[in-house]
């Protein structure tokens, strides 16, 4: 099986993981969709090479955009990092590598209906009123590539989250068959706190970084995976923090063809509004050769979230490292 960590890979200095109990895989054991799937439209069970799967077929024109299934709700802790692992296989031409509009994250961050309908999944959060809501964490949707892969999607739960629902979709696609073989959820801890710090998932992976302009990409170039901000900027997903915690921002970057690159930290309050100014320190990348630079800082009072801000450069890694107190 090919392995592509598309949604969000997370490298850690000290990694701990504990699997969360879920009912999601009971459907494969029992052959009964009711054992793990709460909502569904035009899906079926099957088996291939000794592995059972949930299949979303080609979507008829009358099915509308809301096509797929929801896994049963699973309790989670707020402000916590989780790893969702999904094994999926796509048969058909309409996938993310063939749709440049989605690589621009127009659908993921701005929720505009740009590009073709693509297979993938959405993480929905449940608050204490049992309502679905999108969070300040821009994990709106993730998309699959053609073929069979193990996808790893890491995400922070928002402050009010009590549970999550995973919704697998094909969004009105008329050509693809999509098979889902496995779902697992783990709680993650470690010292590197930002999601997708070294772009290990490879090209087409936009999770962990919020769209900030029209000219940024995560690409494969000369054997390396890079985040390129040519004439633009991008922000990392919000990272929950506690005032007084000490961090080091370590970035490997270079200038772009047009201008110098830079990296800094943005301080936010619990409602994700900017708290005062950005970090006084900023890392500047003026050379065309890649350099690794760092600065340390302490989380100010009143700050509950951090975001990395990257501008007009090429970046090999962006690591927000929590130091031991």
């Amino acid at each position: 099986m090919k392995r592509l960590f598309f949604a969000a890979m997370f490298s850690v200095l000290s990694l701990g993981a504990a699997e969360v109990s879920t009912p999601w895989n009971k459907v494969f054991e029992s052959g009964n969709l009711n054992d793990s799937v709460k909502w569904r439209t035009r899906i079926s069970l099957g088996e291939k090479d000794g592995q059972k799967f949930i299949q979303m077929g080609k979507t008829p024109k009358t099915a509308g955009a809301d096509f797929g299934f929801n896994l049963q709700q699973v309790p989670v802790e707020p402000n916590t990092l989780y790893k969702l692992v999904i094994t999926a296989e796509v048969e058909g031409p309409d996938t993310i590598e063939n749709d440049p509009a989605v690589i621009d994250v127009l659908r993921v961050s701005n929720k505009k209906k740009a590009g073709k309908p693509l297979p993938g999944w959405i993480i929905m959060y449940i608050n204490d009123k049992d309502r679905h809501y999108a969070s300040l964490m821009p994990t709106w949707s993730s998309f699959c590539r053609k073929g069979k892969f193990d996808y790893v999607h890491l995400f922070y739960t928002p402050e009010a989250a009590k549970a999550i629902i995973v919704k697998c979709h094909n969004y009105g696609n008329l050509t693809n068959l999509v098979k889902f073989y496995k779902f697992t959820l783990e709680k993650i801890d470690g010292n590197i706190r930002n999601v997708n710090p070294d772009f290990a998932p490879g090209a087409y992976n936009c999770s962990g970084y919020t769209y900030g302009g029209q000219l940024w990409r995560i690409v494969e170039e000369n054997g390396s995976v890079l985040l390129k901000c040519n004439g633009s900027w991008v922000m990392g997903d919000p990272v929950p923090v506690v005032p007084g915690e000490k961090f080091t921002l370590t970035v490997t970057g270079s200038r772009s063809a047009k201008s110098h690159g830079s990296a800094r930290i943005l301080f936010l309050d619990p409602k994700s509004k900017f708290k005062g100014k950005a970090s006084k320190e900023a890392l500047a990348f003026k050379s065309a050769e890649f350099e690794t630079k760092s600065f340390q800082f302490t989380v100010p009072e009143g700050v509950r979230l951090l975001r990395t801000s990257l501008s007009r450069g090429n970046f090999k890694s962006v690591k927000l490292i929590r130091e031991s107190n």
Side-chain angles (χ1 to χ4, degrees):
M1 182 192 301
K2 301 176 184 177
R3 297 183 66 83
L4 173 72
F5 299 144
F6 162 72
M9 174 61 72
F10 187 72
S11 297
V12 290
L13 298 179
S14 175
L15 179 64
E19 188 165 342
V20 177
S21 177
T22 71
W24 294 342
N25 292 302
K26 288 183 179 179
V27 63
F28 304 120
E29 300 168 5
S30 67
N32 183 357
L33 283 170
N34 293 328
D35 281 346
S36 62
V37 178
K38 186 175 181 181
W39 172 88
R40 58 187 180 271
T41 301
R42 301 178 188 272
I43 68 171
S44 59
L45 285 170
E47 186 170 332
K48 180 180 179 180
D49 300 327
Q51 288 185 297
K52 294 181 180 179
F53 58 77
I54 304 173
Q55 178 172 284
M56 296 190 294
K58 297 179 181 180
T59 311
K61 293 181 180 180
T62 57
D66 209 14
F67 176 79
F69 61 92
N70 288 358
L71 297 177
Q72 289 185 10
Q73 177 177 314
V74 173
V76 294
E77 299 175 16
N79 285 338
T80 301
L81 184 64
Y82 285 87
K83 179 174 73 173
L84 172 67
V85 180
I86 294 178
T87 301
E89 181 178 20
V90 179
E91 300 172 2
D94 293 336
T95 50
I96 189 167
E97 64 266 43
N98 297 323
D99 194 346
V102 178
I103 298 173
D104 271 348
V105 209
L106 293 176
R107 283 179 62 129
V108 180
S109 292
N110 294 339
K111 305 176 188 177
K112 295 180 181 178
K113 293 183 179 180
K116 297 177 182 179
L118 299 178
W121 63 91
I122 293 170
I123 296 174
M124 298 185 295
Y125 301 97
I126 309 299
N127 62 16
D128 55 3
K129 296 181 180 179
D130 197 32
R131 294 179 181 175
H132 298 190
Y133 69 101
S135 76
L136 300 173
M137 314 300 177
T139 53
W140 179 246
S141 190
S142 300
F143 300 103
C144 298
R145 292 188 69 181
K146 187 174 182 179
K148 187 176 182 180
F149 297 99
D150 293 328
Y151 297 94
V152 177
H153 184 166
L154 286 99
F155 60 94
Y156 277 102
T157 52
E159 189 171 17
K162 304 294 183 183
I164 65 166
I165 291 175
V166 177
K167 176 180 179 179
C168 299
H169 61 73
N170 206 14
Y171 280 145
N173 192 288
L174 302 177
T175 57
N176 289 337
L177 289 172
V178 188
K179 298 177 174 67
F180 292 90
Y181 294 86
K182 178 184 177 182
F183 305 94
T184 62
L185 185 67
E186 292 180 333
K187 187 169 70 171
I188 301 295
D189 191 19
N191 291 337
I192 297 181
R193 302 308 297 158
N194 58 310
V195 174
N196 198 7
D198 51 10
F199 320 118
Y204 316 117
N205 169 34
C206 297
S207 266
Y209 298 90
T210 301
Y211 181 72
Q214 297 181 351
L215 297 173
W216 78 272
R217 296 281 196 279
I218 294 177
V219 301
E220 293 177 5
E221 191 172 277
N222 300 322
S224 297
V225 181
L226 308 177
L227 188 155
K228 305 190 75 170
C229 299
N230 293 332
S232 185
W233 57 272
V234 65
M235 290 192 295
D237 285 4
V239 176
V241 294
V242 175
E245 285 184 320
K246 295 181 180 180
F247 284 85
T248 299
L249 177 65
T250 298
V251 179
T252 300
S254 70
R255 65 167 294 140
S256 69
K258 296 183 178 180
S259 60
H260 300 165
S262 67
R264 65 172 67 238
I265 294 293
L266 306 178
F267 299 118
L268 291 79
D269 67 15
K271 294 184 179 180
S272 202
K273 295 181 180 179
F274 290 105
K275 184 75 175 178
K277 298 180 180 180
S279 59
K280 293 180 181 180
E281 297 88 349
L283 303 176
F285 299 93
K286 300 180 180 181
S287 172
E289 301 296 324
F290 281 95
E291 305 173 277
T292 298
K293 298 185 176 183
S294 301
F295 70 82
Q296 293 184 331
F297 63 93
T298 300
V299 178
E301 288 298 323
V303 171
R304 293 295 182 271
L305 299 165
L306 300 180
R307 301 188 77 162
T308 54
S309 178
L310 310 173
S311 179
R312 294 177 172 82
N314 301 322
F315 301 93
K316 280 189 176 181
S317 69
V318 180
K319 297 181 180 180
L320 183 62
I321 304 168
R322 183 179 59 196
E323 305 293 346
S324 299
N325 293 329

